[in-house]
Amino acid sequence: MRATRNAPCWCGSGRKLKRCHLDPAALRRPPIELGKVTPLRDVPSHIVRPHYVEGGTVWPPPTPQILAGAALDRMRHASRVAAEVLATTVAAAAPGVSTDDLDALAHDTYVRLGAYPSTLGYHGYPKSICTSVNEVLCHGIPDRRELRDGDIVNIDVTAFVDGMHGDTSATVGVGTIGAETAALVDTTREATLAGIAALRAGEPIQLAARAITAVADTKGYGVVSEYGGHGIGEVFHADPHVHHTITSRDRAVAEPGLCITVEPMLRSGAARFTTAEDGWTEILDDGMPTAQFEHTVVVTDDGAEILTLLVDGSSAVAGPSPTTNG
Ligand code: MF3
Ligand code: CO
Ligand code: CO
């Protein structure tokens, strides 16, 4: 159900939405409409494809990816390529640019860097990135819909190169976004980095979930429990499942060399979502925005190192977005 100003806030505070988690710009916006999806893009034959693209058996098995030496060097490279593709694509997000335009730019950038876009042909997914706009939680398929001033969009990039996958995403504002939406984006970035900073070899991976939840709680935002991070390396989605919410069922312990993603989704509205007719796009029922950031990391003796950084060590999307009130 769509959110309304006078209904009780989803967060359980007992106050009306307009006195609690009100995002006026989001409330004014019509529900997201999915646009036309363009034909599949080609990848030149010299670019090596992951095994699942050619069909056949699933290989290698999705066991935890513990990397060292030359394998970790290849993982660093794939992760850096993903970060470069993300930085290039994020820089092009602007009013009037379609998410399909972003897909085309990302696609050409992967290819130029010698990488295969891991999502293209993954369980039938048709594009080279995911673009999740406003109330789209994740797995939005790039289409002809043009971005509008005030939208937010998560761009999720996964690059396969030298036999390794690197996976990273960021949410950015399009043009000028409302202050409430910007607070959600900035808190989500902060929660992601806090989750990564909480990881330690020999300690439960749940420490990341605790740190993420603590940051979300400072603003009363919800953390999506249905999606989490994952092991990553030669396999796109490997064990362990990285929960971002607190659960007693998660017994996984970090160890040196373990490569995983941390990729929490935060929401300023209610938790319910529905899969669109395309079978991929997950859309929050109340129409309130959701943000996500993602890094691929390797666990070290005294913490976790972010691998999806640019060559100068910076992040694709470091800072807050320009905002307007109302
Ligand atoms: N990159 C996403 C993740 O973070 C997965 C996208 S899979 C797709 O795990 F098929 F939806 F593209
Ligand atoms: Co991921
Ligand atoms: Co991703």
Side-chain angles (χ1 to χ4, degrees):
M1 218 181 40
R2 298 276 299 173
T4 51
R5 292 174 64 81
N6 289 313
C9 187
W10 61 272
C11 77
S13 63
R15 283 175 293 172
K16 292 182 176 182
L17 178 70
K18 67 185 179 192
R19 308 228 174 278
C20 196
H21 284 97
L22 178 66
D23 185 332
L27 216 55
R28 274 198 302 270
R29 242 186 336 246
I32 188 90
E33 275 177 48
L34 305 186
K36 198 173 145 15
V37 177
T38 59
L40 289 181
R41 296 194 156 84
D42 267 351
V43 178
S45 56
H46 70 270
I47 304 249
V48 178
R49 279 117 169 100
H51 200 266
Y52 51 75
V53 173
E54 307 298 340
T57 54
V58 177
W59 184 91
T63 49
Q65 309 285 293
I66 318 277
L67 303 181
L72 183 55
D73 288 343
R74 289 191 288 128
M75 189 60 188
R76 288 181 187 285
H77 180 65
S79 300
R80 179 171 300 163
V81 167
E84 300 285 350
V85 174
L86 179 61
T88 302
T89 310
V90 154
V97 173
S98 74
T99 51
D100 188 63
D101 295 334
L102 297 181
D103 185 75
L105 174 63
H107 187 88
D108 290 349
T109 311
Y110 288 103
V111 167
R112 183 165 53 74
L113 299 174
Y116 183 90
S118 304
T119 58
L120 185 62
Y122 183 68
H123 295 292
Y125 187 84
K127 291 288 162 191
S128 302
I129 52 175
C130 298
T131 49
S132 302
V133 176
N134 298 335
E135 71 263 38
V136 176
L137 194 55
C138 62
H139 301 165
I141 299 176
D143 63 21
R144 300 302 288 265
R145 179 189 181 279
E146 291 177 2
L147 294 168
R148 300 172 194 164
D149 189 59
D151 282 348
I152 56 171
V153 57
N154 173 274
I155 299 171
D156 193 334
V157 166
T158 316
F160 180 75
V161 56
D162 289 346
M164 295 291 181
H165 298 271
D167 191 5
T168 184
S169 84
T171 301
V172 287
V174 178
T176 309
I177 64 175
E180 295 78 11
T181 309
L184 174 68
V185 173
D186 293 340
T187 306
T188 307
R189 181 190 302 104
E190 195 190 319
T192 306
L193 296 176
I196 294 168
L199 291 166
R200 294 273 176 284
E203 299 285 342
I205 293 179
Q206 268 283 291
L207 288 178
R210 289 184 186 283
I212 289 162
T213 307
V215 173
D217 283 350
T218 63
K219 293 274 171 37
Y221 296 143
V223 182
V224 173
S225 59
E226 290 88 346
Y227 283 95
H230 46 92
I232 186 162
E234 289 187 320
V235 183
F236 187 174
H237 289 116
D239 289 337
H241 178 77
V242 179
H243 293 266
H244 297 322
T245 49
I246 297 170
T247 164
S248 57
R249 288 178 296 111
D250 184 358
R251 303 269 161 74
V253 171
E255 61 175 290
L258 177 69
C259 291
I260 55 175
T261 69
V262 175
E263 50 176 306
M265 299 163 198
L266 268 58
R267 51 179 168 78
S268 57
R272 291 188 56 128
F273 61 92
T274 304
T275 310
E277 275 165 23
D278 61 18
W280 286 101
T281 311
E282 305 284 20
I283 306 178
L284 286 169
D285 292 353
D286 71 353
M288 292 294 106
T290 166
Q292 180 182 26
F293 286 81
E294 173 176 26
H295 276 303
T296 295
V297 309
V298 58
V299 174
T300 61
D301 287 324
D302 53 0
E305 181 190 343
I306 299 178
L307 298 179
T308 36
L309 295 176
L310 302 177
V311 77
D312 66 359
S314 69
S315 189
V317 185
S321 341
T323 60
T324 178
N325 280 311

